[in-house]
Amino acid sequence: MRAIALAAVLLLAACGSAGSVAARGASPSASPARQPATLPSASAAPTLRTFIDRDMGFKLDLPDPWRPSSCNEPPRTDGGIYIGRADFVVVDELHETGTDVGHQYASVGVTVTDNKGGLSPRQWIEMGKIGTTAGTALQDVRFAGRAAVQLVPGGTYVFADTGRMWAVGTDLHADPSLKSAADAVTASFGLLTDDELAAARLGATPSPAPRGLDDVVNGLAAGFARKDADALATFMSDCFGNALENAGATFVTRAKEVADLRTAFASGLTVAVAVKPVKGDASLGSAAIGSAWSGDGQPARSIDLSLREDAGRWRWVATIRLQH
């Protein structure tokens, strides 16, 4: 149980926690997945796309090859506090990876959370609610049509709107060649109007059908028995974690994990899944099943397949390699 809980924490820290979905100014409601819309920009070059996030209620322009992270998940509530985050990355799905402390490539991040104390952006920063480094200066600016504070250097903008605090900024990871493009993505940020939110909701993709724990357990057992990576992909989360028991975790996209499994199967990997017992407390939306991996030139190992339920739909979210 401790290993399962640790892996879940690490995965959530790396990929963002799933939970309720809410548009700006609305109350959260359950949803299993973020439902963004990426539309052609009427006023930009063909390679520029306007991304609309109908969950958090914002939009921005993405030049190629920038795209929404595959590890973005819906906003959630934690202790009654609304928290949302979305990242935009410059790498493709097969190269999007990271650890429980983040990733190592350029990104633009958008965060929003409840501002229950009615703090100003400057007060918010000075209270340590946003990380800063020694020598960071605070500059009063206008951003997204609102009074904001910019962190200099770094470029993150912090502003308040309708009871929530927003932060929008870039992380270049020592790649200055991407500064111009990242700054342009940040500068294009805007909150959706009520009419834009209503239009975005009309185009929302229907929520996936509920899926039971037994369906996922039996589906994984059958998929591994057939060495069918594509079948296994249907049970995976978009952002997939690989952890070592009582240690750190890495995350990759579903596309990368499926590609790695396909290669491993071709190299002789055999996985025997134990459908019973199911570990953990399924009533809390978290469970795991055991499996034995061998035959691919690596030492035989015991790996738990970590499962999670969101809005009635169970998914395979991570592997946890046991240390025994």
Side-chain angles (χ1 to χ4, degrees), residues 1 31 51 97 115 127 193 198 203 224 244 270 288 309 311:
M1 279 297 296
S31 174
F51 173 89
T97 185
N115 180 18
M127 289 184 65
T193 66
F224 274 115
L244 183 64
T270 296
E309 181 266 333

Side-chain angles (χ1 to χ4, degrees), residues 140-158:
D140 293 322
V141 296
R142 298 286 295 178
F143 181 77
R146 291 157 177 81
V149 171
Q150 182 182 14
L151 277 63
V152 181
T156 296
Y157 297 88
V158 182

Side-chain angles (χ1 to χ4, degrees), residues 3 33 78 106 161 236-237 243 262 288 295 306:
D78 187 354
D161 180 79
M236 288 182 186
S237 58
R262 190 175 291 115
S306 183

Side-chain angles (χ1 to χ4, degrees), residues 184-202:
V185 172
T186 300
S188 72
F189 174 91
L191 295 180
L192 297 180
T193 66
D194 290 342
D195 288 344
E196 288 172 327
L197 277 171
R201 292 193 189 109
L202 288 176

